[in-house]
Amino acid sequence: MIDIHSHFLPPISRQEAQAVDAERAPWLAIDPSGETGQIMLADQPFRPVYRALWDADFRVAELDAHGIAMQLVCATPVMFGYAWDPARAADWATQMNDKALAFCAGHPDRLRPLAQVPLQDTRLACAEASRAVAAGCVGVQIGNHVGDRDLDHPDLVDFLIHCAENDIPVLVHPWDMMGGGQRMKQWMLPWLVSMAAETQLGMMSLILSGALERIPESLRICFAHGGGSFAFLLGRADNAWKHRDIVRKDCPRPPSEYAHRLHVDSVVFDEGALRLLVDKMGVERVMLGSDYPFPLGEQEVGTLVRGAGFLDTTQRQRILAGNARGFFRLD
């Protein structure tokens, strides 16, 4: 099995974080036991974590227990730094990408890194994506938006064109979720509701804006968390395209006809949802993902795909490993 969606956060010190952004740069407070810790923002705990997030040897031991042959490692989204000064964010991205490469270096056949980029500045983002891939990263991970700029914004489209023209795979991860404040006051609603909507928003913005008509078909782009609510609501989008000219004004074909341009991971936790995803996207565009090592990820990586009765042996193996090998050129 090849898990394409997992996160890391290196042992960044409080001093390192404060030197970049005293309020928003994350750092890692590791408990004296070395087994658990907290991601911190300034003096505020952001998320409890455990050793697999920063210890590559410990992680590989867990991969052995799960039967995972290889795992792609990418930044925890709080590391993105999209709100910072571009030059500062570019320097931070370079540091984090070098740390990601170092994290994977001891297990090059088991761990492969995805880079982060200063997406608020297209020129700097393109430069860092190319540098990081030349240094050994197998692609880039980006957030689904930068402030109020979605993936259809000309700057972000230019970045995706750069990735297409330079054979750089892209994983899009939802972050900085909509609907904050009192409407998302508890129960982890931003992660349960807004995260799926953010992912669908990224996919639909590329389609309905006509951006996919301008971006070369060579772009390899994958959306995390099973594409959020995209597959479930694709019929609604097609219906709107047929009956409302305001929906189709920039999009020459029904939204479902662009599904073959997009890939998704398998983090949906339900066999019926996985069946719908395979039906709408095509089995060749679904790859195993876990969201490891966080509690909302798949705790026993690959369980859903391995146990899905509607998949035959060939289809199952494509999702578990074969599609990832082609998408990320892992051979």
Side-chain angles (χ1 to χ4, degrees):
M1 294 188 290
I2 299 173
D3 177 7
I4 70 153
H5 175 188
S6 78
H7 297 285
F8 94 116
L9 196 148
I12 303 164
S13 70
R14 183 177 183 178
Q15 291 73 25
E16 286 179 290
Q18 286 181 327
V20 178
D21 188 306
E23 298 299 321
R24 293 173 293 188
W27 59 282
L28 195 56
I30 301 174
D31 296 333
S33 68
E35 298 297 322
T36 58
Q38 287 273 359
I39 299 175
M40 304 289 292
L41 297 178
D43 295 324
Q44 298 299 312
F46 173 74
R47 178 179 296 170
V49 291
Y50 78 106
R51 187 175 169 185
L53 190 67
W54 65 85
D55 186 328
D57 294 338
F58 183 87
R59 178 180 291 231
V60 168
E62 291 209 329
L63 298 187
D64 290 341
H66 287 269
I68 303 295
M70 182 184 292
Q71 190 174 66
L72 273 56
V73 175
C74 59
T76 302
V78 73
M79 297 163 62
F80 285 158
Y82 293 164
W84 305 343
D85 170 77
R88 182 177 298 179
D91 182 64
W92 171 264
T94 298
Q95 292 181 53
M96 295 304 105
N97 293 336
D98 288 346
K99 289 179 183 292
L101 287 161
F103 180 84
C104 298
H107 304 276
D109 296 329
R110 307 296 301 282
L111 301 173
R112 305 293 296 275
L114 295 173
Q116 67 179 79
V117 296
L119 199 56
Q120 63 267 57
D121 185 295
T122 304
R123 181 184 63 81
L124 294 175
C126 292
E128 180 55 23
S130 294
R131 185 205 72 86
V133 168
C137 292
V138 298
V140 298
Q141 177 197 214
I142 63 172
N144 67 300
H145 67 102
V146 178
D148 59 0
R149 290 183 287 168
D150 290 304
L151 292 181
D152 62 310
H153 189 278
D155 293 346
L156 302 191
V157 170
D158 284 347
F159 175 75
L160 294 176
I161 290 173
H162 173 83
C163 290
E165 292 176 343
N166 289 274
D167 200 29
I168 299 173
V170 179
L171 174 66
V172 181
H173 197 288
W175 85 296
D176 191 27
M177 276 80 78
M178 64 181 75
Q182 290 302 306
R183 298 196 66 211
M184 296 288 178
K185 55 187 176 297
Q186 55 182 324
W187 313 303
M188 293 197 75
L189 286 176
W191 283 263
L192 301 182
V193 176
S194 300
M195 183 168 277
E198 287 286 358
T199 309
Q200 183 198 16
L201 175 58
M203 299 169 82
M204 291 305 303
S205 68
L206 282 177
I207 292 172
L208 294 179
S209 68
L212 288 179
E213 296 288 336
R214 303 189 295 277
I215 297 170
E217 290 215 17
S218 58
L219 176 68
R220 287 173 281 146
I221 185 168
C222 177
F223 288 81
H225 300 288
S229 41
F230 177 79
F232 185 78
L233 296 176
L234 188 54
R236 179 179 176 85
D238 274 0
N239 181 68
W241 185 91
K242 292 173 185 175
H243 297 291
R244 294 299 305 273
D245 57 0
I246 193 173
V247 175
R248 61 177 179 265
K249 66 183 182 70
D250 299 314
C251 181
R253 293 179 284 160
S256 60
E257 293 191 15
Y258 294 89
H260 74 282
R261 296 284 307 273
L262 310 173
H263 292 68
V264 294
D265 71 15
S266 64
V267 191
V268 294
F269 308 102
D270 177 86
E271 184 170 332
L274 182 64
R275 183 193 291 267
L276 176 67
L277 198 62
V278 169
D279 180 58
K280 294 297 183 182
M281 304 302 296
V283 70
E284 69 276 13
R285 285 179 286 278
V286 182
M287 295 179 278
L288 177 67
S290 68
D291 207 10
Y292 171 100
F294 296 135
L296 291 186
E298 188 174 39
Q299 297 304 295
E300 187 67 34
V301 180
T303 298
L304 177 62
V305 176
R306 291 199 310 267
F310 69 92
L311 295 172
D312 63 31
T313 301
T314 300
Q315 292 172 326
R316 184 174 292 107
Q317 194 52 39
R318 289 196 72 163
I319 295 173
L320 290 175
N323 292 337
R325 286 195 187 98
F327 187 92
F328 290 100
R329 308 285 197 260
L330 296 176
D331 291 335

